[in-house]
């Protein structure tokens, strides 16, 4: 029975990784590193936290400005 749950957990982890990779590809973030990320927002100039830079390599905007950009494109 444990093998069934282990396989299910592994499959769930793989599916999650696939979704995250696809989202990064669509966002144009594949192949970029934290070094490609801006330290300050290109729109407002506020500092971009290291955690955001690590989570989204190549990021150029802070959370607030990115939210506004996404809202404007809807």
């Amino acid at each position: 029975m444990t093998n069934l749950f282990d396989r299910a957990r592994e499959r769930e982890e793989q599916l999650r990784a696939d979704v995250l990779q696809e989202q990064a590809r669509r966002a144009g973030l594949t192949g970029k590193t934290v070094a490609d990320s801006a330290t300050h927002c290109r729109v407002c100039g506020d500092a971009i936290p290291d955690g955001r830079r690590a989570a989204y390599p190549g990021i150029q905007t802070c959370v607030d400005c990115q939210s506004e950009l996404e809202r404007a494109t809807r």
Side-chain angles (χ1 to χ4, degrees):
M1 195 67 157
T2 305
N3 289 337
L4 177 66
F5 291 114
D6 289 340
R7 287 197 314 264
R9 181 184 47 77
E10 289 171 3
R11 180 69 177 138
E12 180 183 13
E13 289 173 0
Q14 183 60 51
L15 289 171
R16 185 176 292 119
D18 291 346
V19 167
L20 291 173
Q21 184 177 16
E22 177 62 14
Q23 287 177 336
R25 185 192 66 74
R26 287 183 182 180
L29 300 176
T30 54
K32 297 190 178 183
T33 66
V34 173
D36 296 321
S37 301
T39 57
H40 290 79
C41 179
R42 299 283 187 219
V43 177
C44 70
D46 286 351
I48 299 174
D50 290 338
R52 178 167 172 74
R53 296 176 68 231
Y56 300 100
I59 197 73
Q60 301 294 309
T61 56
C62 67
V63 173
D64 292 336
C65 290
Q66 185 63 39
S67 295
E68 282 298 317
L69 291 169
E70 289 175 7
R71 233 178 270 128
T73 59
R74 287 186 190 157

